[in-house]
Amino acid sequence: MKKFLIIFGVIAGVLLLAGGGYAYYLYSTVKDTASDMHEPISRETSTLRTEKIDTEKKDPISILLMGVDERENDQGRSDTMIMITVNPNEDSMIMFNIPRDTRTEIIGRGTVEKMNHAYAYGGVEMAMDTVENFLDVPIDYYFKVNMEAFQDVVSALNGVTVDNPFAFDYNGYSFPAGEVKLNADEALAFSRMRYEDPKGDMGRNDRQREIIKAIIDEGASVGSINKVDELLAAVGSNVKTNMTFEEMNNIFKNYKGARKDMETFEVQGSGEMIDNLWYYIVPAQERQSITQKLKDHLEIS
């Protein structure tokens, strides 16, 4: 598990809890962390947008969340890609995984390969361009989360609680069905199990989204007020985004209600061997259906 919705979980949660004499300290510390996280990209807005979005005016937004495992002298790959749209006018969110083995055109390279190769070839911007082309919807923001951040954040939250659909054992841990409280190591194992799941990679995606939702809720809870310093330390060096602190602040004020109505779904497709490589093939009709759903949610034609 390499990712979670930092903006709504940690940053928004901290801003939510700011009050009294502690407010200025929190605000200043969050702003410093946001500055450390900020990593702009070359474009100011997506080519699929006619004008730049305005978070102060409550424009619906889209976010590409990438979990990467970056190592020395290796850019790494985006092993996890999650697309999120947020509509503050409806107070709703849509969140779904894009299977990493999805066969698609890699924009900027001119090849047809697995979706997660885009980040390995061209970093954040090639990944964003490739996902935009695949879905035909604009991506306004990205969040890139390194592996290190996941366990640090879950640890700073003193664990997270998830709803596990079926009992299983994995990597030395046992996970009963129903509501389960996970520490950092357990959460990592919970999110990684794949082959024992009847749904395979899709089942793993379900558990990843379950942990994301748990972190969002826990990060915004009153009990997290004493964990602010640990949370921000965990986030600062392991998360990068093109979102500015001002935009984060606007999103907290104008979009925070959306987390209470979160729709998730799976991208439907099938596996196929092509040139001795396994790909996930998404039919054109499925892509068109997802595109229309997202455009409606983003209020674009």
Side-chain angles (χ1 to χ4, degrees), residues 7-163:
I7 181 61
F8 294 102
V10 178
I11 300 298
V14 167
L15 289 171
L16 174 65
L17 296 168
Y22 200 39
Y24 176 77
Y25 168 75
L26 289 181
Y27 183 89
S28 177
T29 305
V30 170
K31 188 172 184 179
D32 288 344
T33 300
S35 178
D36 291 339
M37 292 165 56
H38 187 58
E39 192 171 86
I41 55 178
S42 60
R43 70 183 193 189
E44 287 191 8
T45 189
S46 167
T47 56
L48 298 179
R49 291 277 194 194
T50 56
E51 58 185 38
K52 184 176 173 61
I53 60 164
D54 189 337
T55 52
E56 195 167 10
K57 294 181 178 178
K58 301 177 67 172
D59 290 337
I61 61 172
S62 60
I63 301 168
L64 179 63
L65 194 58
M66 292 176 283
V68 301
D69 189 3
E70 295 176 319
R71 300 171 186 178
E72 190 174 355
N73 300 320
D74 179 12
Q75 180 159 270
R77 290 184 181 177
S78 53
D79 284 341
T80 302
M81 304 178 82
I82 295 179
M83 183 70 176
I84 300 161
T85 57
V86 189
N87 187 318
N89 305 310
E90 298 179 359
D91 272 344
S92 63
M93 293 175 60
I94 292 175
M95 177 171 67
F96 64 97
N97 292 68
I98 303 173
R100 61 182 181 178
D101 295 325
T102 300
R103 183 174 169 84
T104 189
E105 179 183 357
I106 306 298
I107 302 302
R109 189 170 173 85
T111 57
V112 177
E113 302 183 42
K114 295 186 178 186
M115 178 73 75
N116 70 335
H117 290 184
Y119 180 84
Y121 291 138
V124 165
E125 294 196 52
M126 187 174 286
M128 292 175 73
D129 290 343
T130 297
V131 173
E132 279 192 343
N133 180 71
F134 179 74
L135 296 174
D136 192 29
V137 293
I139 296 175
D140 304 309
Y141 301 108
Y142 80 88
F143 275 80
K144 182 181 71 173
V145 184
N146 199 16
M147 182 65 176
E148 297 296 325
F150 167 68
Q151 288 179 291
D152 291 345
V153 169
V154 174
S155 179
L157 290 170
N158 291 331
V160 293
T161 300
V162 299
D163 186 13

Side-chain angles (χ1 to χ4, degrees), residues 148-206:
E148 297 296 325
F150 167 68
Q151 288 179 291
D152 291 345
V153 169
V154 174
S155 179
L157 290 170
N158 291 331
V160 293
T161 300
V162 299
D163 186 13
N164 185 25
F166 65 92
F168 66 91
D169 296 331
Y170 181 74
N171 205 27
Y173 298 103
S174 293
F175 302 98
E179 190 172 279
V180 185
K181 180 68 178 287
L182 307 175
N183 63 29
D185 292 335
E186 290 168 338
L188 181 63
F190 180 81
S191 68
R192 276 183 166 172
M193 193 276 280
R194 176 183 183 185
Y195 296 110
E196 293 85 351
D197 194 310
K199 295 171 64 177
D201 202 45
M202 294 300 184
R204 181 177 63 174
N205 290 344
D206 290 344

